[in-house]
């Protein structure tokens, strides 16, 4: 399909989408402006067809630009050097968390979408990472910093920003609005027109933009195209579920929001068909899945339920809830996939557990995480009460023990968690601090006053390199073993995100599954002992006759044959078995 044909297709798609969002009289002019932007972006040259957007070799690293620092060097330059030295050929994509000028929330209150925070580096340093790694870039689409030019224009009654924000009428019914914070929904500000109350879902410094004004949508389309022009292959839509507001509703997951996400996918498919759209919707499982649409919305959504379910399974020593969820609710539609992760820059979300784990089990988990040094953040409910929203803790320290207390199995338990995650169907993403077994940063919390700082440590390069050189440090043990396992994973076609997955019932203490390559040439069996006790896997009963011939353990090298009736699994052991070719 030529570029001209793709633009023609977009005009049809865009007209339908916009008609579901805006009044008829606004649609044609807005569509013409969007098409003009796309024509400026693309030279309408013929585009090669895209067979697959991903493969088993895709692995994403999540990091702030200043997660590793060294005196006299731009932090992004230090990160680039670390990645090239230690992770080249293993990680192929870097999710560089917001690297723009900001006023709060560690980058998610953006002051300027098209500039690099000079404290981190410049576009040259970003391009240096992009030379060896694909880039994931955040489009922080729901709100801007109160210092952003648009909001300053709003305060001074100047165009265009004076019409870019939301000031509900006094009689607006906001009682049903769902939000993840306890701060006021509306923030009073002084403008040239007098006092006004603006919509602030996340904080007083993060002011929601008004997408009912089509000019706002056009502004964000320009930002999206700019990121694509700077080499972004993955676009992450931050907090997108809160985008559209209507009085009397929850203002969450509204139909207009879904149409805007679909429109952005249509744009990407038109001008950058090798790029991937990812939605960040930290919500109950089924709401999160809704952003796949009918395989026409997000290419990829976060597997938010995995992190807390896996943490609970290892804390309690049971696979029951994890297995039930994975068997019944862990399927992506054709052409879509999950982003699997255990930890990120945020905490371990609790909303994704709704309907999956009894409240008593959640309460036990919260109590245990607080004993392991974690914190619990809360959200406000529409009845005036509050409820736990996320656990703030480093994932390494979250696994220092079980409901029975601290023990000696932290390393093995943590390695199992990461290995189970990278084996599941989808694209794995590892937070830099998981790779480095970073402990809870209580000093960071004390300095910032924010609970999330517990998992946003800034390493000094020299200290980190010394720890990695020390074979007895937790950092070296975790980093080099995970790197070895990731290297093995990349070589297995059965781990292709489009490969079939079959979750097995192996009893209360084991979690296992089959993975199959898309071409059917490789099948791989993975089993995990979620307890501190040795466990036996009885091959004939568990694997229903699929286990024939000679198999090799990819991680541990053992040979297993179908004549071996029982496989012995030490505490927190992981076994990846692939059939040995004749």
């Amino acid at each position: 399909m030529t570029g001209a044909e793709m633009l023609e297709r977009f005009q049809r798609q865009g007209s339908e989408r916009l008609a579901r969002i805006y009044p008829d009289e606004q649609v044609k002019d807005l569509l013409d402006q969007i098409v003009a932007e796309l024509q400026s972006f693309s030279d309408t040259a013929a585009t090669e067809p895209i067979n697959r957007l991903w493969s088993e070799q895709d692995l994403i690293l999540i990091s702030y630009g200043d997660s590793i620092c060294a005196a006299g060097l731009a932090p992004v330059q230090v990160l680039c050097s670390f990645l090239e030295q230690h992770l080249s050929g293993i990680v192929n994509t870097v999710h560089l968390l917001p690297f723009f000028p900001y006023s709060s929330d560690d980058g998610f209150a953006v002051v300027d979408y098209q500039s690099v925070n000079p404290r981190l580096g410049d576009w040259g340093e970003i391009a240096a990472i992009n030379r060896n790694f694909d880039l994931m870039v955040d489009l922080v689409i729901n709100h801007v910093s109160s210092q952003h030019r648009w909001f300053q224009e709003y305060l001074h009654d100047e165009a265009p920003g004076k019409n870019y924000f939301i000031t509900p009428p006094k009689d607006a019914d906001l009682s049903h609005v769902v939000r993840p914070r306890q701060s006021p929904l509306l923030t009073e500000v002084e403008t040239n027109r007098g006092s006004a109350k603006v919509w602030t879902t996340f904080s007083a410094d993060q002011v929601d933009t008004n997408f009912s004004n089509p000019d706002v949508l056009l502004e964000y389309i320009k930002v999206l195209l700019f990121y694509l022009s700077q080499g972004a292959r993955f676009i992450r839509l931050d907090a997108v579920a809160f985008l559209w507001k209507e009085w009397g509703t929850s203002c969450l997951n509204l139909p207009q929001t879904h149409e805007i996400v679909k429109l952005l996918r249509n744009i990407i498919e038109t001008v950058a068909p090798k790029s991937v759209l990812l939605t960040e919707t930290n919500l109950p499982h089924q709401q999160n899945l809704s952003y796949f649409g009918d395989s026409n919305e997000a290419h990829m959504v976060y597997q938010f339920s995995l992190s807390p379910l896996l943490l609970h399974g290892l804390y309690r020593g049971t696979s029951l809830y994890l297995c039930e969820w994975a068997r019944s609710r862990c399927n992506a539609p054709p052409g879509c996939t999950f982003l699997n992760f255990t930890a990120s820059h945020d905490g371990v979300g609790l909303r994704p557990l709704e309907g999956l784990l009894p409240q008593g089990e959640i309460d036990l988990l919260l109590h245990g995480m607080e004993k392991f040094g974690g914190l619990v953040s809360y959200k406000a409910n529409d009845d005036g009460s509050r409820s736990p929203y996320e656990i703030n803790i480093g994932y390494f320290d979250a696994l220092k023990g079980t409901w029975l207390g601290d023990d000696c199995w932290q390393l093995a338990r943590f390695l199992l968690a990461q290995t189970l995650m990278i084996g599941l169907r989808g694209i794995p993403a590892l937070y830099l601090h998981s790779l480095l077994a970073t402990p809870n940063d209580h000093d960071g919390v004390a300095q910032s006053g924010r609970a999330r700082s517990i998992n946003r440590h800034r390493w000094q390069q020299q200290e980190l390199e010394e720890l990695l050189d020390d074979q007895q440090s937790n950092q070296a043990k975790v980093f080099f073993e995970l790197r070895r396992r990731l290297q093995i994973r990349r070589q297995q076609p059965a781990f292709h995100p489009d490969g079939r997955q079959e979750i097995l019932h192996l009893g209360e203490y084991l979690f296992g599954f089959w993975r199959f390559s898309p071409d059917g040439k490789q099948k791989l069996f993975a089993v995990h002992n979620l307890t501190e006790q040795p466990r036996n896997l009885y091959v004939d009963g568990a694997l229903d006759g699929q286990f024939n011939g000679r198999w090799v353990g990819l991680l541990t090298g053992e040979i297993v044959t179908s004549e071996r009736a029982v496989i012995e699994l030490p505490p927190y052991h992981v076994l990846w078995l692939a059939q040995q070719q004749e």
Side-chain angles (χ1 to χ4, degrees), residues 41 97 140 153 175 179 227 263 307 332 353 358-359 379 430 489 501-502 530 551:
F41 181 88
L97 290 157
V140 184
E153 290 170 346
S175 62
R179 42 197 307 269
Y227 293 163
L263 180 74
S307 175
L353 287 179
Q359 188 59 49
K379 71 178 184 71
L430 281 102
R489 183 199 184 277
Q501 175 173 279
E502 181 182 331
L530 301 190
W551 296 68

Side-chain angles (χ1 to χ4, degrees), residues 37-57:
E37 292 296 331
L38 302 191
Q39 287 173 325
S40 298
F41 181 88
S42 172
D43 60 5
T44 69
T47 303
E48 296 180 6
I50 305 302
N51 295 322
R52 293 191 186 275
L53 286 172
W54 39 67
S55 78
E56 66 274 10
Q57 298 192 9

Side-chain angles (χ1 to χ4, degrees), residues 61 99 178 249 395 421:
L61 179 78
F99 48 84
V178 173
T249 75
Y395 214 80
M421 179 273 290

Side-chain angles (χ1 to χ4, degrees), residues 95 108 136-143 202 211 217 220-221 223-224 227 234-243 257-265 268 276-282 288 291 297-302 304:
H95 174 197
F108 287 92
M136 181 187 291
V137 175
D138 285 279
L139 180 53
V140 184
I141 196 170
N142 179 71
H143 50 261
F202 290 91
F211 274 84
L217 174 61
Y220 280 102
I221 288 172
V223 176
L224 167 65
Y227 293 163
F234 292 84
I235 299 292
R236 176 185 183 270
L237 298 180
D238 176 67
V240 69
F242 302 92
L243 203 66
T257 295
H258 284 284
E259 287 298 326
I260 288 172
V261 176
K262 291 173 184 177
L263 180 74
L264 297 181
R265 172 159 170 171
I268 286 174
V276 173
L277 189 67
L278 167 67
T279 50
E280 186 266 329
T281 51
N282 191 357
N288 182 40
Y291 283 85
E297 200 164 337
H299 295 98
M300 186 161 65
V301 304
Y302 280 86
F304 276 112

Side-chain angles (χ1 to χ4, degrees), residues 81-98:
S81 175
F82 180 87
L83 294 172
E84 291 177 353
Q85 179 183 352
H86 293 290
L87 293 171
S88 184
I90 299 173
V91 167
N92 72 333
T93 299
V94 177
H95 174 197
L96 197 58
L97 290 157

Side-chain angles (χ1 to χ4, degrees), residues 82-384:
F82 180 87
L83 294 172
E84 291 177 353
Q85 179 183 352
H86 293 290
L87 293 171
S88 184
I90 299 173
V91 167
N92 72 333
T93 299
V94 177
H95 174 197
L96 197 58
L97 290 157
F99 48 84
F100 320 108
Y102 70 95
S103 55
S104 64
D105 199 17
D106 285 344
F108 287 92
V110 178
V111 173
D112 182 350
Y113 284 108
Q114 298 191 16
S115 297
V116 177
N117 183 348
R119 190 178 62 79
L120 298 178
D122 56 31
W123 280 113
E125 269 95 25
I126 304 297
I129 291 181
N130 199 196
R131 279 195 288 271
N132 292 298
F133 304 91
D134 288 336
L135 277 178
M136 181 187 291
V137 175
D138 285 279
L139 180 53
V140 184
I141 196 170
N142 179 71
H143 50 261
V144 299
S145 163
S146 63
Q147 297 179 26
H148 192 284
R149 173 177 57 84
W150 298 341
F151 192 66
Q152 292 302 306
E153 290 170 346
Y154 170 81
L155 296 177
H156 292 92
D157 198 26
E158 298 172 354
K162 68 178 182 178
N163 298 314
Y164 281 10
F165 299 92
I166 304 166
T167 54
K170 291 183 179 179
D171 62 350
D173 178 10
L174 306 180
S175 62
H176 303 289
V177 174
V178 173
R179 42 197 307 269
R181 298 289 186 272
Q182 296 186 80
S183 56
L185 174 64
L186 303 179
T187 297
E188 188 166 352
V189 295
E190 293 299 323
T191 77
N192 284 1
R193 304 178 301 281
S195 295
K197 290 186 176 181
V198 294
W199 195 293
T200 51
T201 296
F202 290 91
S203 76
D205 187 45
Q206 294 165 288
V207 191
D208 290 43
T209 46
N210 182 12
F211 274 84
S212 67
N213 178 351
D215 291 340
V216 170
L217 174 61
L218 186 63
E219 292 277 16
Y220 280 102
I221 288 172
K222 293 176 182 178
V223 176
L224 167 65
L225 295 174
F226 175 74
Y227 293 163
L228 293 172
S229 74
Q230 296 299 311
R233 179 169 171 247
F234 292 84
I235 299 292
R236 176 185 183 270
L237 298 180
D238 176 67
V240 69
F242 302 92
L243 203 66
W244 196 272
K245 281 79 174 176
E246 280 189 6
W247 326 143
T249 75
S250 67
C251 298
L252 185 70
N253 306 322
L254 296 187
Q256 296 91 333
T257 295
H258 284 284
E259 287 298 326
I260 288 172
V261 176
K262 291 173 184 177
L263 180 74
L264 297 181
R265 172 159 170 171
N266 294 151
I267 289 171
I268 286 174
E269 290 174 335
T270 301
V271 300
K274 294 182 180 179
S275 292
V276 173
L277 189 67
L278 167 67
T279 50
E280 186 266 329
T281 51
N282 191 357
L283 300 167
H285 187 68
Q286 288 305 122
Q287 294 181 40
N288 182 40
L289 295 190
S290 71
Y291 283 85
F292 281 135
D294 294 321
S295 296
N296 62 350
E297 200 164 337
H299 295 98
M300 186 161 65
V301 304
Y302 280 86
Q303 191 66 283
F304 276 112
S305 297
L306 173 61
S307 175
L309 279 174
L310 180 54
L311 183 60
H312 169 267
L314 288 166
Y315 179 71
R316 295 284 281 155
T318 177
S319 64
L320 294 180
Y321 298 103
L322 180 65
C323 186
E324 175 59 26
W325 163 79
R327 283 178 64 87
S328 62
R329 312 193 189 197
C330 199
N331 296 309
C336 301
T337 195
F338 290 105
L339 185 142
N340 294 327
F341 73 109
T342 60
S344 73
H345 59 292
D346 290 338
V348 178
L350 296 172
R351 291 216 67 197
L353 287 179
E354 292 178 17
L356 302 178
L357 199 62
Q359 188 59 49
E361 291 292 329
I362 295 174
D363 292 341
L364 280 172
L365 181 63
L366 294 177
H367 178 65
M369 294 306 101
E370 289 179 322
K371 286 198 303 181
F372 295 159
L375 306 168
V376 177
S377 294
Y378 292 83
K379 71 178 184 71
N381 300 317
D382 56 14
D383 63 359

